[in-house]
Amino acid sequence: MSAQTPRSRRHALCAALLLALPGSAFAATPTVAARPALGTRLSQQRVLPYPVTQVWGAAIRYLRVDRDYAIVDRDPDTGYIVFEIPLGGDRRGRGALEAFETTDASGRPSTQLQVSTEAGPTHLPHTLMEGIAKKVRGERGQAPPPPPKAPVEPPKGDDDDGGLPRMPPAVNPDRLPLE
């Protein structure tokens, strides 16, 4: 997995602030379940081998239609979605999804997804990530193949035929001409 880029750190910070700042428009209301301690936020990260434009729409449809979660806020330019998770009764929790462009190990344009939740079962971020991946595969088919690797050409001007190295003939040092 690649290291976090400055943009992904900025996205993670924005999502954390939206979920955690008291008094913000996205902070928990009195009817929402109390937030767990800061160290208990659950998160799952994954790289999908599809462009962001294909993953974004599928993620919105999965969260809103398939899971029936309320979308609180979304911004396709910065790649985040804030959604509410029903926890039973009147209790609700918050979740955030971040998506940004990256390149996978084979060089294909891909999407890095991160799903974070503040409440719900411990498997929820993983379940959401798997559901989004399955939805994208179902809508878009198999991921495109990696780009072909460029053939490595030998350097120009090299007369090497690939055989054994050629050595100059042996010379007896006693018979060298004197300079």
Side-chain angles (χ1 to χ4, degrees), residues 47-126:
V47 175
L48 296 177
Y50 299 89
V52 173
T53 55
Q54 294 178 359
V55 174
W56 180 259
I60 295 280
R61 286 187 297 280
Y62 177 75
L63 293 171
R64 183 66 195 113
V65 177
D66 296 357
R67 297 295 293 216
D68 198 29
Y69 291 167
I71 304 293
V72 176
D73 192 21
R74 64 181 170 190
D75 185 0
D77 294 333
T78 56
Y80 77 90
I81 302 169
V82 179
F83 54 94
E84 285 188 342
I85 305 163
L87 298 174
D90 291 340
R91 297 179 24 202
R92 297 182 102 35
R94 293 282 169 120
L97 178 137
E98 301 170 66
F100 56 92
E101 294 177 15
T102 188
T103 304
D104 68 3
S106 63
R108 139 182 66 196
S110 301
T111 302
Q112 173 129 9
L113 280 182
Q114 180 170 349
V115 175
S116 303
T117 60
E118 65 178 16
T122 57
H123 63 80
L124 184 60
H126 177 73

Side-chain angles (χ1 to χ4, degrees), residues 22 24 39 41 48 76 89 91 120 155 163 167:
S24 76
R41 180 163 285 130
L48 296 177
R91 297 179 24 202
M167 301 293 291

Side-chain angles (χ1 to χ4, degrees), residues 10 52 65 136 140-141 158:
R10 184 174 59 231
V52 173
V65 177
V136 174
R140 300 295 177 171
D158 190 10

